[in-house]
Amino acid sequence: MTLLLTGGRLIDPSRKADGDADLLIVDGKIVKTGKDLPKGKKSPDVEILDLRGKWIVPGLIDMHTHLREPGFEYKETIASGTEAAVAGGFSSVACMPNTNPVNDSRSVAEFISRKAKECGLANVYPIAAITVKSEGSLLSEFWDLKDAGAVGFSDDGKSVMNASLMRRALEYASSLDMPVIVHCEDKNLSTGGVMHEGSVSTELGLTGIPAIAEDVMVARDLLLAEFTGAAVHIAHVSTAGAVRLIREAKVRGVRVTAETAPHYFSLTDEAIRNFDTNAKVYPPLRSLEDRTAVREGLSDGTLDVIASDHAPHARTDKEVEFDYAASGLTGLETSLALSLRLVTDSVLTLSDLIEKMTINPARILRIPKGTLAVGADADITVIDPEKVWTVDRALFCSRGKNSPFHGWTMKGKAVLTIVGGVIRYRDL
Amino acid sequence: MKLSRKDILGIKELSVEEITLILDTADSFLEVSTREIKKVPTLRGKSVINLFYEASTRTRTSFEIAAKRLSADTINISASTSSVVKGETLIDTAKNIEAMNPDLIVIRHSAAGAPHMLASLLRQSIINAGDGAHEHPTQALLDMMTIRSRKGRIAGLKAAIIGDIAHSRVARSNIHGLTKMGAHVVVSGPATMLPREIETLGVTACTRIDEAIKDADIIMMLRIQTEREKQNVFPSLREYAQYFSLNRKNIALAREDCIVMHPGPMNRGVEISPEIADGPHSVILDQVTNGVAVRMALLYLLTGGNS
């Protein structure tokens, strides 16, 4: 099977390439890129796509998603989650281990990989739990989990509160050259909180989660990473303090990378004013100052990655009192369009943005993706930068319709997602 | 003049004109409760549901009396006896109630925003009888009615609200109401009970209650919830009573004609000393009397009545 993409603008930050070029795919691999590639003879085995006005980028990678399977299939399945992924332009996703059972053992990791292969949409990379059942008391079997296909370790949803255990986890993961992905939240400071602590929580009378709950834990984990020499990746950075701490640590040479999610640079705690449970996320939507700092962190390279923290929930999880609502938003199908706004707002260059959604997460997870180099797997996303569309949660492929962006007008959309040389999503 | 809104969810949304309309209407209903036959036929044939997810004696009774004096039928549902224990969601409970066609639903709930959720889903009028630490609009209205009747005005007065501001819906509703009506509001209490950025609501905050009481026209004491002691919000009731209570000594700092208010139930000897609670400055029982009139006014206005 041969696929020839012609007439598009090819943007590949992994090779610092940006310019008009064609791209030839044969049998799932990128074979050639360059100007005016020969079209060859007409054949049923050859598809030629005219992509004038479109951007051709490496298949997008979302390194922070929740696919909910096994255990919470009523919220999302690997099938619906990967369908949402390719619809959002993502050819690869990493999924967090807070399933039921928790992905803390070879059997669960293998189950996820097998299911993903059966679905045959996006590539799925399991992230395994740092501790057994993510309970924060016993290390899970890192070596075995790596063999089973895990690409990193995380107790996402909470911090490993025991600093000594966290130190061991970093040392042990480091020996495998695997990243530890940390959800930073000191639970003693955040207990009972349902939104950011600030003027809005004060007015609404909702219990606040102070920014310092995140900052304290970011500081601890940075110090532990510095001490052990291990690589740590800070998940979903939401506060100005965390951005500052990470920036300073990078200057000191700490092996730290960090991500933020589109909602942290798109929304603030003002979105909670009408008690919209779709805007309830952990960490919570923060103040305008925090949002500004997150944007600066993206701009100056402190934050390496944009990941959606795709957290689908069923209606029944959200259509309850704010205090009782599940936290998280469904993000795979809005992530790219929200991120493109950063280019419009001159926060990032287009190339920097694509870098944070392709090669940077690939390098952090040590996966051979995120590039359009000759010989690489043909994972490719085609973006129509001019396409104007309205977010309609009823049209989401994800089972989770919990989006605070419903009704937003967006510009720019993935119109073609190619995974391993096969078109898995087409909206041309 | 008519009240052109479906629900009363908070004071935050009300205009000065609307507050004035409600207070004027309440003034005119005050007399009904002094008659020998305390009933007018105004709401005959209407039904009011009191949906209480949190324990309440005073507020629920007040709403029930208000509705009955207007000849409405009242039904009380409390969380302990309802289908809540069977695990039904608030929305399902509310939809079932809606299907029985009441005219008005009064809800109290421990979760902030619960009445707002019902208001957006149901066609009935909703009155918020207290949601979490968010708002308690009828309490603030009865407080403003009491202040107005005692002082003749609200504008220009200094009001001190003292106690656990962070967890108090009474404080929030009164802050909105009193600042809208032109009073100067000072909130005070232990630093752990003053929420972050409280000044954004247009008040002054201080941790020494003497500063708040000084020259105050209105002193509003809040109930201290004793379980906060265990959460390390304050060290002990003993210390609280010594440093944060209203007593004979510090009340001398206030204006001579100041009024002392409390939303109840009081912890006598903790946030307020008994001789102040029962003393000449206290208007605490007036608040309760006015509460019935304010609730009558709201039931009347929300079901389409004119002032």
Side-chain angles (χ1 to χ4, degrees):
Chain A
M1 182 70 203
T2 299
L3 200 54
L4 181 63
L5 312 183
T6 66
R9 172 179 166 193
L10 200 146
I11 304 152
D12 181 10
S14 78
R15 296 177 301 134
K16 308 230 175 300
D18 183 356
D20 292 347
D22 298 346
L23 187 146
L24 180 68
I25 300 163
V26 179
D27 296 334
K29 298 281 180 190
I30 295 169
V31 168
K32 202 183 270 186
T33 60
K35 283 223 157 106
D36 301 320
L37 295 183
K39 293 207 165 59
K41 272 181 273 179
K42 261 211 167 131
S43 145
D45 279 348
V46 179
E47 184 172 3
I48 299 171
L49 292 167
D50 177 3
L51 300 178
R52 274 175 294 185
K54 313 283 195 292
W55 298 336
I56 300 171
V57 304
L60 303 180
I61 300 168
D62 191 334
M63 69 176 288
H64 193 139
T65 70
H66 298 270
L67 299 182
R68 305 298 190 203
E69 192 179 355
F72 304 103
E73 292 82 357
Y74 73 101
K75 295 175 193 272
E76 188 83 291
T77 61
I78 291 169
S80 63
T82 50
E83 199 184 338
V86 293
F90 294 92
S91 57
S92 296
V93 297
C95 60
M96 286 296 175
N98 59 339
T99 46
N100 185 21
V102 169
N103 181 12
D104 59 4
S105 67
R106 173 182 282 273
S107 60
V108 181
E110 286 179 348
F111 166 82
I112 292 167
S113 299
R114 191 179 71 242
K115 266 275 169 168
K117 261 191 203 85
E118 282 167 19
C119 297
L121 292 166
N123 305 305
V124 174
Y125 295 95
I127 293 166
I130 298 172
T131 62
V132 174
K133 295 183 184 170
S134 286
E135 282 174 346
S137 51
L138 299 165
L139 281 184
S140 49
E141 297 173 334
F142 285 16
W143 286 66
D144 207 29
L145 283 159
K146 183 181 185 178
D147 274 351
V151 294
F153 298 99
S154 181
D155 277 356
D156 187 49
K158 48 192 156 185
S159 277
V160 176
M161 286 296 292
N162 180 332
S164 172
L165 179 59
M166 190 63 193
R167 172 199 171 170
R168 301 293 179 217
L170 284 165
E171 288 171 342
Y172 202 52
S174 184
S175 69
L176 291 164
D177 191 32
M178 302 259 290
V180 175
I181 301 168
V182 287
H183 168 117
C184 292
E185 175 184 345
D186 183 313
K187 75 174 177 204
N188 293 317
L189 281 166
S190 66
T191 295
V194 295
M195 69 171 294
H196 174 64
E197 183 178 327
S199 60
V200 181
S201 69
T202 288
E203 184 173 321
L204 298 181
L206 290 170
T207 308
I209 300 173
I212 196 75
E214 180 166 335
D215 302 349
V216 160
M217 198 52 81
V218 168
R220 185 202 75 174
D221 286 347
L222 289 170
L223 290 169
L224 287 171
E226 189 167 18
F227 179 73
T228 57
V232 70
H233 176 79
I234 316 277
H236 43 52
V237 170
S238 74
T239 67
V243 172
R244 180 175 55 79
L245 288 161
I246 295 163
R247 185 182 290 130
E248 290 164 2
K250 283 190 167 183
V251 171
R252 289 202 305 277
V254 179
R255 291 176 64 202
V256 57
T257 53
E259 82 195 23
T260 191
H263 37 284
Y264 300 118
F265 58 72
S266 304
L267 296 172
T268 65
D269 56 354
E270 290 292 332
I272 309 285
R273 265 200 204 279
N274 58 355
F275 297 98
D276 180 6
T277 56
N278 286 323
K280 184 180 180 185
V281 286
Y282 289 158
L285 299 174
R286 302 284 187 187
S287 69
L288 185 60
E289 293 73 41
D290 293 305
R291 193 186 79 156
T292 305
V294 165
R295 287 172 163 241
E296 283 165 7
L298 284 164
S299 187
D300 69 12
T302 303
L303 302 177
D304 309 273
V305 169
I306 294 170
S308 73
D309 196 1
H310 177 73
H313 286 293
R315 275 178 60 186
T316 47
D317 301 321
K318 285 289 193 180
E319 286 183 354
V320 293
E321 297 86 327
F322 195 90
D323 279 346
Y324 311 146
S327 57
L329 61 84
T330 188
L332 278 167
E333 290 165 86
T334 49
S335 182
L336 173 61
L338 291 165
S339 301
L340 286 169
R341 290 174 169 220
L342 295 173
V343 180
T344 316
D345 295 350
S346 303
V347 176
L348 290 176
T349 65
L350 179 57
S351 175
D352 285 347
L353 172 67
I354 300 302
E355 186 175 41
K356 290 180 198 298
M357 300 181 84
T358 57
I359 189 65
N360 284 358
R363 285 184 181 137
I364 292 163
L365 299 175
R366 286 82 156 153
I367 57 176
K369 298 287 181 184
T371 177
L372 298 178
V374 168
D377 294 339
D379 290 359
I380 293 157
T381 300
V382 176
I383 299 165
D384 181 346
E386 298 303 321
K387 185 160 183 144
V388 175
W389 60 288
T390 302
V391 179
D392 180 353
R393 60 183 164 222
L395 302 178
F396 284 162
C397 298
S398 170
R399 287 195 178 176
K401 313 298 179 193
N402 47 313
S403 172
F405 303 110
H406 176 70
W408 283 37
T409 301
M410 302 287 198
K411 192 176 176 203
K413 190 178 178 302
V415 291
L416 198 67
T417 307
I418 300 169
V419 185
V422 181
I423 295 173
R424 296 298 184 188
Y425 176 77
R426 188 198 290 250
D427 182 26
L428 275 173
Chain B
M1 196 178 151
K2 273 186 149 182
L3 191 63
S4 56
R5 58 172 66 237
K6 174 175 155 279
D7 315 292
I8 297 291
L9 301 176
I11 301 292
K12 159 100 175 165
E13 300 85 47
L14 297 180
S15 67
V16 172
E17 292 70 32
E18 286 175 303
I19 293 171
T20 307
L21 169 65
I22 295 164
L23 299 186
D24 290 348
T25 310
D27 284 344
S28 69
F29 274 119
L30 201 53
E31 179 265 333
V32 175
S33 296
T34 63
R35 293 182 194 171
E36 184 146 2
I37 296 173
K38 302 177 183 60
K39 211 174 186 72
V40 290
T42 320
L43 295 189
R44 198 165 56 196
K46 305 270 185 195
S47 40
V48 175
I49 304 236
N50 290 324
L51 180 57
F52 276 63
Y53 282 86
E54 212 181 52
S56 160
T57 308
R58 189 179 333 251
T59 305
R60 208 202 62 209
T61 308
S62 181
F63 266 109
E64 190 172 355
I65 289 178
K68 288 195 160 137
R69 287 192 179 154
L70 292 171
S71 301
D73 298 312
T74 61
I75 298 94
N76 294 321
I77 303 174
S78 62
S80 53
T81 58
S82 77
S83 50
V84 172
V85 286
K86 294 176 204 151
E88 190 177 50
T89 67
L90 174 61
I91 290 179
D92 283 336
T93 304
K95 290 271 183 196
N96 277 278
I97 291 171
E98 179 181 44
M100 295 182 228
N101 281 315
D103 298 280
L104 211 142
I105 298 171
V106 176
I107 177 172
R108 165 167 289 190
H109 200 293
S110 60
H116 305 67
M117 191 165 82
L118 291 199
S120 67
L121 290 166
L122 305 188
R123 60 179 186 277
Q124 280 84 8
S125 287
I126 308 291
I127 298 179
N128 179 2
D131 64 323
H134 180 219
E135 283 238 35
H136 191 352
T138 58
Q139 178 71 43
L141 288 164
L142 72 87
D143 288 342
M144 287 190 278
M145 179 180 176
T146 307
I147 294 166
R148 223 174 57 153
S149 74
R150 285 297 180 122
K151 294 281 168 196
R153 67 192 166 106
I154 298 174
L157 300 180
K158 178 183 175 181
I161 306 178
I162 296 166
D164 189 354
I165 309 295
H167 296 97
S168 175
R169 55 193 172 215
V170 175
R172 281 175 182 76
S173 285
N174 267 303
I175 287 169
H176 289 308
L178 293 173
T179 54
K180 264 182 222 265
M181 301 304 280
H184 169 50
V185 180
V186 182
V187 297
S188 187
T192 47
M193 293 181 176
L194 296 175
R196 280 175 86 79
E197 302 181 39
I198 184 74
E199 297 83 1
T200 57
L201 298 184
V203 302
T204 314
C206 60
T207 51
R208 287 182 176 59
I209 74 163
D210 285 1
E211 213 176 296
I213 294 170
K214 192 168 175 356
D215 298 326
D217 300 284
I218 304 150
I219 304 170
M220 199 177 277
M221 301 306 294
L222 301 175
R223 174 181 171 77
I224 185 78
Q225 286 176 295
T226 49
E227 63 265 28
R228 303 276 174 228
E229 193 177 338
K230 290 188 206 79
Q231 299 163 1
N232 278 317
V233 177
F234 65 99
S236 67
L237 285 175
R238 176 184 161 275
E239 173 154 302
Y240 191 90
Q242 274 187 328
Y243 294 92
F244 297 99
S245 72
L246 186 64
N247 51 48
R248 214 162 24 185
K249 206 164 140 218
N250 57 20
I251 200 172
L253 296 166
R255 290 178 62 96
E256 216 172 317
D257 59 350
C258 77
I259 56 172
V260 171
M261 312 179 83
H262 194 297
M266 282 185 281
N267 295 302
R268 286 172 177 265
V270 183
E271 71 264 8
I272 190 165
S273 69
E275 67 265 29
I276 300 298
D278 303 329
H281 297 286
S282 171
V283 295
I284 293 169
L285 294 176
D286 290 11
Q287 291 173 268
V288 180
T289 304
N290 291 338
V292 174
V294 153
R295 288 165 182 130
M296 286 171 80
L298 286 177
L299 295 172
Y300 170 72
L301 290 168
L302 286 177
T303 49
N306 290 304
S307 69

